[in-house]
Amino acid sequence: MTLYRALADELAELITRGTLQVGDRMPSVRQLCREKKISPATAMRAYEALEAKGLLESRSRSGYYVSANWREPQHEPQSSRPRSRKTRVDVSELVFEILESARDRDVIPLGSAFPSPLLFPWAKLARYLGSSARHTDPWSTVESLPPGSEELRRQIARRYLLFGTRVLVEEIIITSGALEALNLSLQTVTRPGDTVAIEAPAFYACLQAIEIAGLKAVEIPTHPREGVELGALDLAIRKHNVRACWFMTTFQNPLGATMPPEKKQELVQLLARREIPLIEDDVYAELYFGNERPKPAKAFDTKGLVLNCGSFSKCLAPGYRLGWVSAGRFAKALQRRKITSTLATSVPIQNGIALMLREDGYDAHLTRLRQAFKTQQADALRSLRKHFPAGYRVAIPDGGYFLWIELAKNIDVLEVHRLALEANISVAPGPMFSARREFTSCLRLNYGHSWTPVMDRAIEELGKIIKTMDGKKGRPTA
Amino acid sequence: MTLYRALADELAELITRGTLQVGDRMPSVRQLCREKKISPATAMRAYEALEAKGLLESRSRSGYYVSANWREPQHEPQSSRPRSRKTRVDVSELVFEILESARDRDVIPLGSAFPSPLLFPWAKLARYLGSSARHTDPWSTVESLPPGSEELRRQIARRYLLFGTRVLVEEIIITSGALEALNLSLQTVTRPGDTVAIEAPAFYACLQAIEIAGLKAVEIPTHPREGVELGALDLAIRKHNVRACWFMTTFQNPLGATMPPEKKQELVQLLARREIPLIEDDVYAELYFGNERPKPAKAFDTKGLVLNCGSFSKCLAPGYRLGWVSAGRFAKALQRRKITSTLATSVPIQNGIALMLREDGYDAHLTRLRQAFKTQQADALRSLRKHFPAGYRVAIPDGGYFLWIELAKNIDVLEVHRLALEANISVAPGPMFSARREFTSCLRLNYGHSWTPVMDRAIEELGKIIKTMDGKKGRPTA
């Protein structure tokens, strides 16, 4: 457990046991540092975590106070308990219906998969793109066939080193976004009919990829803060002939869960013993709120079995469609798959982003972006506390821009989705994230957009819809 | 038959029958126009065609003369006669070996699939790319999800109209290059195990796509000038349960064949009667040497069964990876496939090319590009006549940048490929283009690069290799 979380837990206990009372002023950050012999950053982070949970509230120029809200503490959802049978996946139609219903610019994007496009450095990106295009060697358009631009792959390998992960330039293959990287990985390490272990709930594009590739899925119980349960995974591997795992190990979509480093290491070792490849969807990790980027499972990979998939779409350049995979021992086979499916990735895009990575500016942008998401998370949680009926559970992630909310069992979220859309609000209902359309009382909410009064009112409206449904008996679910 | 080709055939007969003798001066273009009541363009095109075939030679400021070369007339290859059974495709490994061996910048690219990158308007493209990126509405990065930029799709639909083809903006889906469009089309209209009718020889990426999708191929006899034989196709459809056709109807790669318009219409009607979709690979059609762009089969499609796939990679912006498919009745299903496989196509790339199409400059570039390929074709044919041993056959296409050459039956082109590569010359051997690795004595040569003395010497070297092998008995082929 991280230091700040231990401290937060300790303080939370003082509050819930009544040692600290509603309205009490908390020690100042300076006092707390002196007393606990910790850094100001750790103290601040602990207070912010407690604020996010609704236990504290900050008053400007005065410090933190015990909030009246804590009497309705926000519990986390528990680990999922999916059936342990393997299953055909049948969710694509539902996902498309929901995605298409929410594409309108005028719909409030609580169900969106994307953060606000206003948070990204478009002018700077345009400059680098134009400049690198003007200086492109025409021959490079032929030579940048897969694996892709060597300069870009070198920059990506350099960034892996920043968080203690050694990746060879030779194993990196540039793709048109992370989704292509993930699909190519899946196609490279499986054959139709194979079984793949996934999280429950899982990212819907993972479910669609499995469905389209003619694979079967086995859903593994997943903890909302610490990710896949390894004991359950081990059992599933013994029981089914699992040929690959597809996990999002950091800020999992939709849960927000992050496996602690030691758990990631254990996962890699467990799979290595059986030579099972891990497709690691790692697109949110740069959006951490703590002090450093969580290491990927790839950092512990000694046998080349982890295919770590990344992207610039969530953290630098949405819509540019630039991703990659560090494919370990599968690099050569995956490169060939890429050549036969989309041939190559856009050369000006590769060169433009490579230039931006070399010339600096990326880290400063990331710092701003993380701060925005962190603030917006606290704002969103505040709106929820204000407007949602008591009894919901929410997992509070340490990064990313999604909240996973568990409502009362009798609430049918597909109906919530339908009613919300009538009020011009999108939500992402739980069944989108499940091979068997489970999680029928869960929602994923996006806080990646400026938390304006419009957003607060949207949450209020959602709260009303849920309260109304809570009064009646929920519709029977499919 | 086009007017110029009828005239060329008439003049060719006068030469081969001896009415016109070696060294005779031909009528001037003006005389010919007066006499035949044709346009100067038609007369010029007929003379150029005869020059390309080696029957005439032009002398500067003096006109055209009957060439001494015609005594070794360059016959066309005959229609292919593939086996009429359906077959698993097993060519991917061979294709990769050959492609990878030829990626070195120092290898003379007679085997390359790409034209010279020096023929494209890089500075202008960079300007449009930078400019459109600077003015991108951030929200468009979300809204340009498939089907893609509406402005770009409108520009593409407008260009279809220029050659008499009406396509709805709504049926166009933007892709990351034509290969993605083709793959998505194939996956949309077939299920694993289905049978697809293809040309013989066929573009190797088509063979690889079929192999990877777990489909079977039935190869249809194909004429080197007029494309797929419809009688044979009809038989194959009756015999096998053909679920789709994948044909390159204009300047087919590798043959260079172009179906005449009435044949394209007949093809569309034949398939419409059986509701069989046609995947039309149409990426070379803008590279015509005649007076107008050949119409695609799509122009005759009344039932929405033709999926016409295009690209800017061969004619405007290599390496940008921008293509599209006009998918008719399959548009919605194909759009969903795209979302699940690569999500979207790069927004700055879409906007940059859309701006270039709107702002003009594309047609002027195309005119220059066509002229370059036309001149280089004549140069390449001259080198072949000079250096290749007599008896080879060559089909002379009316566009594109490939020549398909049939050598004596005992020549093993895989061995030619190996020996040429030792001399730093790449060639594309026939078996790359065949599900069963047939066409063992055929070569595809690329004339898309400036025909410098280096190219002439490469052809000379190839000629020597072939002569040496012709002396011995060719190796037994697989």
Side-chain angles (χ1 to χ4, degrees):
Chain A
M1 197 183 297
T2 55
L3 202 54
Y4 88 83
R5 209 179 262 285
L7 176 62
D9 285 357
E10 183 189 329
L11 295 171
E13 216 183 316
L14 294 176
I15 295 167
T16 50
R17 290 196 173 171
T19 311
L20 293 166
Q21 301 269 327
V22 171
D24 277 358
R25 184 172 170 183
M26 299 296 288
S28 72
V29 167
R30 195 183 300 176
Q31 287 169 321
L32 199 62
C33 289
R34 209 174 324 127
E35 189 187 320
K36 300 279 178 186
K37 305 205 189 327
I38 53 173
S39 72
T42 305
M44 276 303 296
R45 183 73 191 118
Y47 277 171
E48 285 165 359
L50 291 170
E51 189 187 16
K53 285 193 175 180
L55 289 159
L56 298 183
E57 57 190 40
S58 68
R59 298 184 194 157
S60 68
R61 281 195 293 272
S62 169
Y64 283 89
Y65 291 79
V66 177
S67 165
N69 283 325
W70 79 263
R71 293 188 188 283
E72 290 177 1
Q74 290 169 328
H75 293 292
E76 293 189 329
Q78 295 179 311
S79 271
S80 62
R81 289 282 161 251
R83 275 176 273 183
S84 68
R85 291 207 312 268
K86 61 187 174 186
T87 180
R88 263 189 68 245
V89 179
D90 176 27
V91 69
S92 230
E93 273 303 313
L94 173 69
V95 169
F96 281 124
E97 277 166 31
I98 293 169
L99 292 184
E100 279 169 32
S101 70
R103 263 171 82 161
D104 189 339
R105 197 189 279 216
D106 296 328
V107 170
I108 297 164
L110 290 173
S112 170
F114 307 106
S116 165
L118 304 176
L119 295 169
F120 295 88
W122 299 110
K124 191 170 257 180
L125 284 166
R127 232 168 21 246
Y128 285 122
L129 187 63
S131 162
S132 69
R134 275 194 303 281
H135 299 103
T136 294
D137 169 9
W139 290 100
S140 73
T141 58
V142 178
E143 286 164 355
S144 290
L145 286 172
S149 152
E150 190 168 338
E151 168 67 14
L152 177 60
R153 291 183 295 129
R154 225 194 302 272
Q155 294 293 340
I156 290 171
R158 188 180 59 78
R159 289 199 69 85
Y160 272 104
L161 281 182
L162 297 181
F163 47 89
T165 306
R166 203 168 157 269
V167 156
L168 297 175
V169 173
E170 292 71 38
E171 67 173 298
I172 298 176
I173 290 147
I174 305 298
T175 60
S176 306
L179 188 57
E180 182 179 42
L182 291 159
N183 270 299
L184 292 174
S185 297
L186 189 66
Q187 292 158 13
T188 302
V189 303
T190 64
R191 293 292 160 265
D194 283 354
T195 298
V196 179
I198 61 173
E199 289 140 338
F203 174 38
Y204 51 76
C206 163
L207 297 168
Q208 290 179 306
I210 286 173
E211 188 172 337
I212 278 185
L215 300 165
K216 293 200 183 73
V218 51
E219 295 172 296
I220 310 297
T222 305
H223 186 274
R225 194 147 31 75
E226 305 212 329
V228 165
E229 293 190 359
L230 297 187
L233 174 63
D234 197 25
L235 274 176
I237 290 173
R238 285 165 206 270
K239 194 165 159 192
H240 310 293
N241 186 14
V242 169
R243 300 302 296 266
C245 298
W246 174 332
F247 297 147
M248 204 181 289
T249 52
T250 300
F251 312 139
Q252 197 257 5
N253 176 3
L255 283 178
T258 297
M259 282 192 179
E262 57 278 14
K263 195 172 172 187
K264 283 174 178 154
Q265 183 166 24
E266 207 183 317
L267 167 68
V268 170
Q269 287 164 350
L270 186 160
L271 297 179
R273 283 195 293 277
R274 294 186 172 81
E275 300 269 321
I276 297 174
L278 169 62
I279 301 168
E280 183 177 33
D281 183 348
D282 202 21
V283 300
Y284 295 105
E286 287 285 7
L287 307 177
Y288 57 87
F289 302 159
N291 292 320
E292 58 186 11
R293 183 201 191 283
K295 270 192 178 129
K298 180 77 181 171
F300 307 103
D301 180 28
T302 54
K303 296 182 78 176
L305 279 166
V306 179
L307 301 101
N308 181 268
C309 298
S311 160
F312 296 103
S313 300
K314 314 289 186 193
C315 49
L316 177 61
Y320 273 52
R321 305 308 301 143
L322 193 62
W324 71 89
V325 46
S326 300
R329 65 165 80 165
F330 305 104
K332 194 77 189 170
L334 196 144
Q335 177 179 335
R336 291 182 163 195
R337 270 275 165 179
K338 163 81 183 167
I339 290 174
T340 55
S341 61
T342 61
L343 187 58
T345 299
S346 180
V347 172
I349 295 294
Q350 291 190 63
N351 291 346
I353 299 287
L355 188 60
M356 169 121 193
L357 296 186
R358 197 173 60 223
E359 294 294 320
D360 213 33
Y362 183 30
D363 286 303
H365 156 71
L366 278 175
T367 302
R368 284 190 298 271
L369 187 66
R370 288 171 196 137
Q371 187 54 51
F373 288 149
K374 191 169 155 180
T375 308
Q376 288 162 200
Q377 186 194 75
D379 293 343
L381 287 166
R382 201 171 297 122
S383 290
L384 285 172
R385 283 197 300 274
K386 221 159 79 188
H387 301 304
F388 264 38
Y392 68 94
R393 291 167 179 265
V394 59
I396 302 171
D398 288 330
Y401 51 88
F402 294 126
L403 290 176
W404 179 252
I405 293 164
E406 200 178 295
L407 302 170
K409 283 275 171 279
N410 63 336
I411 304 289
D412 171 11
V413 288
L414 290 176
E415 185 66 8
V416 173
H417 160 71
R418 198 185 62 73
L419 294 169
L421 208 59
E422 283 178 9
N424 258 356
I425 301 164
S426 73
V427 298
M432 290 178 84
F433 303 95
S434 160
R436 285 199 205 79
R437 307 186 178 203
E438 295 172 327
F439 303 101
T440 52
S441 60
C442 295
L443 286 176
R444 186 195 70 184
L445 296 184
N446 178 320
Y447 58 81
H449 295 71
S450 285
W451 205 261
T452 58
V454 172
M455 300 302 258
D456 185 67
R457 276 199 299 277
I459 294 287
E460 185 176 4
E461 184 63 35
L462 274 185
K464 279 185 201 156
I465 291 170
I466 294 164
K467 275 176 207 155
T468 314
M469 293 179 68
D470 213 6
K472 315 173 208 171
K473 196 171 152 38
R475 285 198 330 170
T477 58
Chain B
M1 197 182 301
T2 55
L3 202 56
Y4 87 84
R5 208 179 262 284
L7 176 61
D9 285 356
E10 184 190 329
L11 295 171
E13 215 181 317
L14 292 176
I15 295 167
T16 50
R17 288 195 173 171
T19 312
L20 291 166
Q21 300 270 325
V22 170
D24 278 358
R25 183 171 170 183
M26 300 297 288
S28 73
V29 167
R30 193 184 299 175
Q31 287 170 324
L32 200 62
C33 289
R34 206 174 326 125
E35 189 186 320
K36 300 281 177 183
K37 305 204 190 325
I38 55 175
S39 73
T42 305
M44 275 305 293
R45 184 73 192 119
Y47 277 172
E48 285 166 358
L50 292 169
E51 190 188 14
K53 285 193 174 179
L55 288 158
L56 297 182
E57 58 191 41
S58 69
R59 298 183 193 159
S60 68
R61 279 193 295 273
S62 168
Y64 283 89
Y65 292 79
V66 177
S67 165
N69 282 324
W70 79 263
R71 293 187 187 284
E72 290 178 0
Q74 289 170 326
H75 294 293
E76 295 190 325
Q78 295 179 311
S79 271
S80 61
R81 290 280 162 253
R83 276 175 275 183
S84 68
R85 292 206 311 266
K86 63 188 172 186
T87 180
R88 263 189 67 245
V89 179
D90 176 25
V91 70
S92 230
E93 274 301 313
L94 174 70
V95 169
F96 280 124
E97 278 166 31
I98 292 169
L99 291 184
E100 280 169 31
S101 69
R103 263 171 82 161
D104 188 339
R105 198 187 277 216
D106 296 327
V107 170
I108 297 164
L110 291 172
S112 170
F114 307 105
S116 165
L118 303 176
L119 295 169
F120 296 87
W122 298 110
K124 191 169 258 179
L125 286 165
R127 231 167 24 245
Y128 285 122
L129 186 64
S131 163
S132 69
R134 273 193 304 281
H135 299 105
T136 294
D137 169 8
W139 289 100
S140 72
T141 59
V142 178
E143 286 164 355
S144 290
L145 286 173
S149 151
E150 190 166 340
E151 166 67 15
L152 176 60
R153 290 183 296 129
R154 225 194 303 271
Q155 293 294 339
I156 290 170
R158 187 180 61 78
R159 289 199 68 85
Y160 273 104
L161 282 181
L162 297 181
F163 47 90
T165 306
R166 202 167 158 270
V167 156
L168 298 175
V169 173
E170 293 71 38
E171 67 174 297
I172 298 176
I173 289 146
I174 305 297
T175 60
S176 307
L179 188 57
E180 183 179 41
L182 292 159
N183 270 300
L184 292 173
S185 297
L186 189 67
Q187 292 159 13
T188 301
V189 302
T190 65
R191 293 291 161 266
D194 284 355
T195 298
V196 179
I198 61 172
E199 290 141 337
F203 174 37
Y204 51 76
C206 163
L207 297 168
Q208 290 179 307
I210 287 173
E211 188 173 336
I212 277 187
L215 301 164
K216 293 201 185 71
V218 50
E219 295 172 294
I220 310 298
T222 306
H223 185 274
R225 193 148 33 74
E226 306 211 329
V228 165
E229 292 190 359
L230 297 187
L233 175 63
D234 197 24
L235 274 178
I237 290 173
R238 283 167 207 270
K239 194 165 158 190
H240 309 293
N241 186 15
V242 170
R243 300 303 295 266
C245 298
W246 175 331
F247 298 147
M248 203 181 290
T249 52
T250 299
F251 312 139
Q252 195 257 4
N253 175 3
L255 283 176
T258 296
M259 283 190 177
E262 58 278 15
K263 195 171 171 186
K264 282 174 178 152
Q265 183 165 22
E266 207 182 316
L267 168 68
V268 170
Q269 287 165 349
L270 187 160
L271 297 180
R273 283 194 293 277
R274 294 187 172 81
E275 299 270 320
I276 297 173
L278 169 62
I279 302 168
E280 184 177 33
D281 182 349
D282 202 22
V283 300
Y284 296 105
E286 287 285 7
L287 306 177
Y288 57 87
F289 302 160
N291 292 321
E292 57 186 11
R293 184 201 191 283
K295 269 192 178 130
K298 180 78 182 171
F300 307 103
D301 180 29
T302 54
K303 296 181 78 175
L305 279 167
V306 179
L307 302 101
N308 181 267
C309 300
S311 160
F312 296 104
S313 301
K314 315 289 186 192
C315 48
L316 177 60
Y320 273 52
R321 304 309 300 145
L322 193 62
W324 71 89
V325 46
S326 301
R329 64 166 80 163
F330 306 103
K332 194 80 189 168
L334 195 142
Q335 176 181 334
R336 291 182 162 197
R337 271 273 166 181
K338 162 82 183 168
I339 291 174
T340 55
S341 61
T342 61
L343 186 58
T345 299
S346 180
V347 171
I349 296 293
Q350 292 190 63
N351 292 345
I353 299 286
L355 188 61
M356 169 121 193
L357 296 185
R358 197 174 60 224
E359 294 293 322
D360 215 31
Y362 183 30
D363 285 303
H365 156 71
L366 277 175
T367 303
R368 284 190 298 272
L369 187 65
R370 290 171 193 135
Q371 188 53 52
F373 288 149
K374 190 168 157 182
T375 306
Q376 288 161 200
Q377 186 193 73
D379 293 342
L381 287 165
R382 203 171 296 122
S383 291
L384 285 172
R385 283 198 300 275
K386 221 161 78 189
H387 301 304
F388 264 38
Y392 68 94
R393 290 166 179 266
V394 60
I396 301 171
D398 289 329
Y401 51 88
F402 294 126
L403 291 175
W404 179 252
I405 293 164
E406 200 177 296
L407 302 171
K409 284 274 171 280
N410 63 335
I411 304 288
D412 170 11
V413 288
L414 290 176
E415 184 67 5
V416 173
H417 160 70
R418 199 184 62 74
L419 293 169
L421 208 58
E422 283 178 8
N424 257 356
I425 302 165
S426 72
V427 298
M432 289 177 84
F433 303 95
S434 161
R436 285 198 205 79
R437 307 186 177 203
E438 295 172 326
F439 302 103
T440 53
S441 59
C442 295
L443 285 177
R444 186 195 71 184
L445 295 184
N446 178 319
Y447 58 82
H449 295 71
S450 285
W451 206 260
T452 58
V454 172
M455 301 301 259
D456 185 67
R457 276 198 300 277
I459 295 287
E460 185 175 5
E461 185 62 35
L462 273 184
K464 278 185 202 157
I465 291 170
I466 294 163
K467 274 176 206 154
T468 315
M469 292 179 67
D470 214 5
K472 316 174 208 169
K473 193 169 157 37
R475 287 196 331 169
T477 59

